[in-house]
Amino acid sequence: MSLHRYMLSLAYNGAHFNGWQRQPNAPSVQQTIEDNISLVLRQPIQIVGCGRTDTGVHASAYYAHFDTDASLPEAFKRRLNKLLPSSILIQEIYEVSDQTHARFSATERTYRYDLTGEKDPFRPDTISIYPMLGQVDPDLVRATAALLLQYDAFLPFCKTHSDAKTMRCDLRQAEWVMHEHRWSFHVSSDRFLRGMIRLIVGACLRVGRGQITLSEVDRALEKQQALPGAWSAPPEGLFLSRVQYSDMADWHVLF
């Protein structure tokens, strides 16, 4: 029997997982989904995700594929969602070409970082609390984000000891949306470096508070060198919110 490739679209709250990728001694989103698909299909299943998210980071639109020679049973999505914890939701299941790869076929990814200046009892794990928000100059924050779009390499916003072969990213959006005590940063690119978005958010806020200057960020990008005192914003506010594929119109929805 030939193999079929299926693509999952899903959402998850990453607060209680050690990131997406399977870990030897810690719970991950990947392992949780793999174990439950394997249970339903009664065969070992390995899934490939569209990217790694760190501990505590979330996704409102994530994609992962798996291959199997089995036909998916009726009500597969409903059965899978019933088994999965409430923090993971399978949204849709597609049959796709065996050339479609969840990670390598993605053409664009969009992340959102949610920030508040006040404690939020209803979103303790899914929004970042920044009590100094009232001290941040919004114009400087927007200017820092706009500056990023002038560059195509981002070493200042890559965690140390990264195994990335290149620092180049085709950044297509870097925009802050601000509503009083709640701000959101939206950023889109063909790829992202390890820890890139949280480091960008940290730099924007530091410029906005006068801790570093816009010129220092510009110089670090120009020379491709680290920013002094780089700070990574907490993971709670970060969501993978959109992933694009060139062949999505050809995907066949099964459930």
Side-chain angles (χ1 to χ4, degrees):
M1 187 178 292
S2 60
L3 289 176
H4 301 274
R5 176 160 293 182
Y6 299 104
M7 186 75 76
L8 309 172
S9 69
L10 61 130
Y12 58 85
N13 181 326
H16 303 297
F17 295 102
N18 281 58
W20 163 265
Q21 190 172 10
R22 179 182 281 270
Q23 306 288 330
N25 298 303
S28 70
V29 181
Q30 180 183 21
Q31 178 184 352
T32 303
I33 296 173
E34 283 180 343
D35 289 351
N36 284 286
I37 293 178
S38 299
L39 182 63
V40 174
L41 296 184
R42 299 182 181 180
Q43 62 176 242
I45 294 293
Q46 292 184 325
I47 61 177
V48 177
C50 61
R52 300 176 184 179
T53 57
D54 291 338
T55 298
V57 175
H58 321 289
S60 56
Y62 191 96
Y63 290 88
H65 79 256
F66 67 93
D67 297 326
T68 178
D69 59 3
S71 296
L72 301 188
E74 286 188 28
F76 175 70
K77 185 177 77 169
R78 180 177 59 79
R79 291 172 61 183
L80 187 56
N81 276 324
K82 188 174 181 180
L83 289 169
L84 288 168
S86 59
S87 51
I88 302 175
L89 170 68
I90 305 300
Q91 297 164 323
E92 290 187 297
I93 302 173
Y94 307 86
E95 186 166 12
V96 298
S97 161
D98 60 6
Q99 301 301 307
T100 300
H101 192 282
R103 180 182 175 190
F104 297 123
S105 298
T107 58
E108 182 175 281
R109 295 169 175 84
T110 300
Y111 283 84
R112 185 185 82 245
Y113 192 92
D114 291 342
L115 187 69
T116 179
E118 300 176 339
K119 183 167 68 173
D120 188 333
F122 302 107
R123 294 183 58 186
D125 300 321
T126 60
I127 193 167
S128 181
I129 300 169
Y130 191 72
M132 294 79 69
L133 194 62
Q135 304 170 22
V136 178
D137 184 330
D139 291 333
L140 285 176
V141 168
R142 292 190 186 98
T144 307
L147 176 66
L148 301 173
L149 296 173
Q150 300 176 27
Y151 289 90
D152 61 4
F154 297 92
L155 183 146
F157 304 111
C158 182
K159 279 187 178 179
T160 54
H161 310 301
S162 169
D163 58 359
K165 294 180 174 61
T166 175
M167 296 293 145
R168 293 191 176 277
C169 303
D170 179 14
L171 208 64
R172 300 161 187 175
Q173 178 192 26
E175 178 185 12
W176 282 90
V177 177
M178 301 171 175
H179 300 289
E180 295 184 356
H181 299 292
R182 289 180 185 265
W183 294 7
S184 292
F185 178 59
H186 301 261
V187 58
S188 301
S189 181
D190 62 332
R191 63 189 291 267
F192 289 94
L193 304 172
R194 183 167 175 254
M196 180 174 171
I197 300 160
R198 290 165 58 194
L199 284 166
I200 287 175
V201 171
C204 287
L205 294 173
R206 292 175 68 218
V207 172
R209 290 189 66 200
Q211 295 173 313
I212 56 173
T213 66
L214 191 58
S215 295
E216 285 180 289
V217 177
D218 194 13
R219 185 162 54 251
L221 285 164
E222 182 68 36
K223 295 185 176 183
Q224 287 297 290
Q225 62 187 25
L227 275 166
W231 174 65
S232 181
E236 293 85 3
L238 185 58
F239 288 77
L240 175 61
S241 58
R242 188 169 180 257
V243 185
Q244 285 291 102
Y245 296 87
S246 59
D247 65 342
M248 290 183 91
D250 299 325
W251 295 6
H252 175 58
V253 180
L254 295 176
F255 303 98

